[in-house]
Amino acid sequence: MQVNHTKKLVTNLKQGTIIRGKWNGTKYQVIQKLGEGACGVVYLCERNGVQAALKIGTDSSRIITEVNVLKTFQKVQGKRLGPSLLDVDDWVTPAGIIFPYYVMEYLRGTELASFLRGKGKEWLGVMMLQLLTDLEELHNQGWVFGDLKTDNLLVTTPPPQLRLIDVGGTTQTGRAIKEYTEFYDRGYWQRGSRKADPSYDLFALTMVMLEIAYGSRFERGTHPRQTLEKKLQQASLLKPYRLLIQKVWTGGYTHSREMKNDLSSMLNSPSKYKAAEMKNTRVSRRREAEKTSFASAESVVIFITVILFYILYSIVAW
Amino acid sequence: MKKGTLKQILLLTDGCSNQGEDPVAVAALANNQGITVNVIGVLDDHQSEQPDGLEEVEAIAMSGGGVSQIVYQKALSQTVQMVTKQAMTQTLQGVVNQELKQILGEKQTFEELPPDKRGEVMEVVEDLGETCDLEVLVLVDTSASMTPKLSTVKEALFDLSLSLNARSGNNRFSIFCFPNKTKPIQKLMDWTPELDGISKVFPKLASGGITPTGPALKEAMYQFGKKSLFGSMKHASKPYEETGY
């Protein structure tokens, strides 16, 4: 009860509220609420005329965990993953309650679904390619994004660039996924474990594609695997990506790079791209298997007929 | 820090206790013995969010040092794993806080450390959470009103083992239910590292009317001592990495 009560104090901060840091003394003025996550509320705020996003919460450990992840990302040279971290501090309210917060770069953008609305089909592929490029970078650093979902994707313009936001689920490779959302979780769909490995993110990426195709999330039903397969077959938007997605589901990719390469060659020459070109897919293997088993069945039948004739012949002869 | 095993009781119920000792008091006792009590109140899909009788859910968890949540069946799976993990972090942080107090003085807690120091401490807590051993005793209220929810409960427990078995630390689960005609709790599944055998465990019969949550919790506490020798000998002496403080 107490926790809920104190949480309410920061879920609706009024415009103009001044948040002053206990440790660094920096002042931020609240402009408006941007969103609310599992462990905190994000506000657009301003400091010396510069806008920034400030995430404030009640659970110090979760806020700090996210800060730790953001810090690791800052150390990466070259491409920046996620928003950059600007400040970490505590706010002591006039009533004496302490709220931990951190301040990050404010990314102005649109949600992926609304960005794609009214655009050509090719844009989905392009966005996914950008996402795979970021994931590859992340995976190379030994991290898995974890809670990959449409809510955590933002398209900034110009030029259109897909960005990952909210690093709350980001987990070191090999550990248990920190945070996930059922619809995007391969464990929920009975397609694997919740251990952080690159293919965990790739599965979530295919679910982002399905969600875009249907305009909403859907239930898993009593047979999750079949539901997924059916949904994929029925999504006309995803027709060109079917084999790619199935390859993810059957564990065909262990690295984001492999999937990125397949997707990019597919986008570069869509006309030449045929099912047969994608090697190692289960589908083609299964077809071969069917062929061989059919052949062996045939020879068994012939063999039995010959024996029958022989027996018949020996009985008659006898 | 020596490697320890976190002990948790996860109580799944949909109503208020009405027989025997006060479960809030029993939870305090359990907490005192190093067992965390988490409680999840399961709502019917048509129930309002603040039903009568479920205030107890929060009270039991609070005195049991654990986490509580009241949810609709639909959200049960995600809640069960979240509550369990949250309670683990909470317990580990409590342990770390104790250490901090011993080193830095009575007033120094995690929340009062400067942010960068807090970040370092949190890394340690996270490492512990990933590697520590965990024992979860699941205590399911199988009184009449819970019966239609049991298939969801089963799903949620299977999901819990999926989440926890993704950690590097070892897990052990056991499942008990109550009420029972002759004893406070009935064992449905002995300590085991996986929960995938749970499809058959819930009994069909349900005695109506009584919900002796207190006595059930008390009996559940005693189950932590009783474990198969084999299980407790395995991985017995793997100390935590040096934590640096």
Side-chain angles (χ1 to χ4, degrees):
Chain A
M1 230 179 291
Q2 208 180 352
V3 175
N4 285 340
H5 180 66
T6 52
K7 198 180 172 187
K8 265 182 204 148
L9 293 175
V10 283
T11 43
N12 281 308
L13 289 179
K14 285 196 191 91
Q15 185 188 346
T17 307
I18 303 284
I19 295 176
R20 188 177 174 276
K22 172 182 164 186
W23 304 93
N24 302 334
T26 316
K27 279 185 202 164
Y28 299 92
Q29 187 168 26
V30 173
I31 300 173
Q32 68 178 87
K33 189 165 159 178
L34 291 173
E36 200 168 336
C39 84
V41 190
V42 183
Y43 290 97
L44 176 63
C45 63
E46 189 197 64
R47 177 200 166 196
N48 299 335
V50 181
Q51 292 191 336
L54 183 148
K55 184 162 187 178
I56 189 162
T58 47
D59 188 342
S60 191
S61 57
R62 292 183 73 173
I63 292 278
I64 285 293
T65 306
E66 293 191 11
V67 167
N68 279 349
V69 173
L70 282 171
K71 270 190 187 158
T72 346
F73 290 174
Q74 313 304 307
K75 289 174 195 160
V76 177
Q77 290 294 308
K79 207 174 152 92
R80 176 168 291 136
L81 298 161
S84 56
L85 180 70
L86 304 172
D87 191 10
V88 189
D89 216 322
D90 291 328
W91 179 44
V92 187
T93 64
I97 304 164
I98 302 173
F99 292 103
Y101 68 84
Y102 65 87
V103 185
M104 57 193 154
E105 164 195 16
Y106 172 50
L107 298 173
R108 193 190 302 268
T110 33
E111 282 173 25
L112 179 61
S114 38
F115 173 81
L116 291 174
R117 208 165 294 140
K119 287 201 173 55
K121 277 184 180 178
E122 69 280 9
W123 273 100
L124 177 62
V126 172
M127 287 290 115
M128 291 303 107
L129 199 60
Q130 288 188 354
L131 180 53
L132 280 167
T133 309
D134 275 11
L135 287 177
E136 185 187 350
E137 186 75 28
L138 194 66
H139 296 161
N140 286 343
Q141 311 288 335
W143 294 90
V144 169
F145 191 74
D147 201 6
L148 181 63
K149 54 178 172 180
T150 44
D151 320 50
N152 288 344
L153 295 171
L154 204 65
V155 185
T156 56
T157 46
Q161 173 66 43
L162 193 66
R163 301 281 304 253
L164 290 162
I165 53 169
D166 199 342
V167 297
T170 309
T171 310
Q172 282 173 50
T173 311
R175 294 195 164 188
I177 290 288
K178 239 184 256 170
E179 227 174 272
Y180 65 86
T181 305
E182 278 180 348
F183 180 76
Y184 306 87
D185 166 49
R186 69 174 176 202
Y188 173 79
W189 291 101
Q190 300 176 3
R191 296 272 181 178
S193 77
R194 287 200 183 118
K195 222 180 220 327
D197 57 37
S199 53
Y200 187 90
D201 280 344
L202 300 184
F203 181 88
L205 181 143
T206 66
M207 295 311 291
V208 167
M209 294 175 86
L210 275 168
E211 188 188 348
I212 296 287
Y214 282 92
S216 65
R217 299 173 192 174
F218 44 84
E219 299 279 318
R220 66 173 163 180
T222 40
H223 303 286
R225 295 175 68 98
Q226 282 96 312
T227 306
L228 218 49
E229 205 60 56
K230 220 166 84 192
K231 287 283 182 185
L232 178 60
Q233 296 306 325
Q234 287 167 356
S236 58
L237 178 71
L238 300 184
K239 203 175 166 196
Y241 309 105
R242 242 175 238 171
L243 285 172
L244 191 82
I245 291 173
Q246 274 165 335
K247 194 169 169 185
V248 173
W249 291 353
T250 52
Y253 297 111
T254 45
H255 289 284
S256 33
R257 188 184 358 101
E258 301 161 357
M259 186 181 177
K260 195 182 89 178
N261 291 344
D262 275 358
L263 178 61
S264 104
S265 55
M266 187 182 142
L267 292 171
N268 289 336
S269 50
S271 55
K272 281 185 209 156
Y273 186 81
K274 299 236 166 62
E277 281 182 56
M278 214 154 74
K279 285 162 198 151
N280 298 328
T281 58
R282 286 255 170 120
V283 181
S284 58
R285 244 189 269 154
R286 197 187 301 142
R287 272 194 202 128
E288 270 167 40
E290 272 164 17
K291 255 184 238 160
T292 52
S293 65
F294 185 67
S296 57
E298 228 169 11
S299 55
V300 167
V301 171
I302 293 172
F303 182 69
I304 291 171
T305 328
V306 169
I307 288 182
L308 278 178
F309 270 113
Y310 176 74
I311 293 169
L312 208 65
Y313 172 75
S314 47
I315 292 170
V316 171
W318 199 65
Chain B
M1 243 187 271
K2 277 267 180 280
K3 174 162 178 160
T5 299
L6 293 188
K7 298 182 180 120
Q8 293 188 358
I9 292 175
L10 174 67
L11 171 65
L12 297 165
T13 182
D14 68 345
C16 195
S17 65
N18 56 16
Q19 203 182 58
E21 56 244 271
D22 185 356
V24 181
V26 180
L29 203 62
N31 189 25
N32 192 41
Q33 294 188 12
I35 302 166
T36 305
V37 184
N38 298 320
V39 194
I40 295 177
V42 193
L43 296 174
D44 281 324
D45 290 337
H46 57 268
Q47 248 171 315
S48 73
E49 290 221 29
Q50 241 86 49
D52 300 331
L54 278 177
E55 298 90 2
E56 197 187 62
V57 161
E58 198 176 336
I60 299 173
M62 208 179 259
S63 88
V67 178
S68 71
Q69 195 77 251
I70 293 173
V71 290
Y72 290 102
Q73 286 189 59
K74 217 180 142 191
L76 192 62
S77 291
Q78 193 133 28
T79 307
V80 163
Q81 62 89 23
M82 211 184 67
V83 160
T84 307
K85 282 203 217 159
Q86 219 174 308
M88 282 175 74
T89 311
Q90 204 169 293
T91 310
L92 290 167
Q93 221 181 299
V95 175
V96 171
N97 255 343
Q98 283 301 321
E99 302 265 327
L100 285 175
K101 274 185 193 166
Q102 274 180 12
I103 300 164
L104 303 168
E106 199 50 42
K107 279 199 169 168
Q108 196 61 267
T109 61
F110 179 72
E111 278 75 19
E112 279 141 40
L113 287 175
D116 53 331
K117 287 271 171 291
R118 218 182 295 161
E120 287 172 32
V121 173
M122 203 52 220
E123 268 176 38
V124 175
V125 172
E126 260 188 70
D127 283 351
L128 293 176
E130 171 72 21
T131 54
C132 73
D133 289 353
L134 176 70
E135 286 176 356
V136 183
L137 184 149
V138 184
L139 185 57
V140 188
D141 170 358
T142 48
S143 57
S145 57
M146 275 293 283
T147 313
K149 298 169 192 161
L150 290 181
S151 67
T152 320
V153 168
K154 248 184 281 180
E155 235 171 67
L157 294 180
F158 177 72
D159 193 84
L160 176 69
S161 94
L162 192 68
S163 273
L164 293 177
N165 284 327
R167 302 183 318 123
S168 347
N170 297 303
N171 303 297
R172 281 152 49 77
F173 307 92
S174 66
I175 307 175
F176 289 80
C177 72
F178 73 101
N180 181 281
K181 275 181 192 138
T182 53
K183 43 195 174 176
I185 54 176
Q186 182 190 342
K187 186 198 284 175
L188 297 179
M189 187 176 250
D190 205 355
W191 292 103
T192 164
E194 304 267 351
L195 277 181
D196 45 11
I198 54 170
S199 51
K200 46 194 180 284
V201 298
F202 285 110
K204 291 226 171 59
L205 66 138
S207 19
I210 60 156
T211 311
T213 313
L217 263 182
K218 194 162 194 182
E219 193 57 33
M221 264 169 64
Y222 302 134
Q223 302 305 318
F224 283 92
K226 302 176 189 169
K227 54 191 94 161
S228 61
L229 188 63
F230 178 71
S232 53
M233 298 254 308
K234 237 168 57 178
H235 321 285
S237 56
K238 220 192 316 166
Y240 274 140
E241 285 171 44
E242 277 300 314
T243 50
Y245 49 78

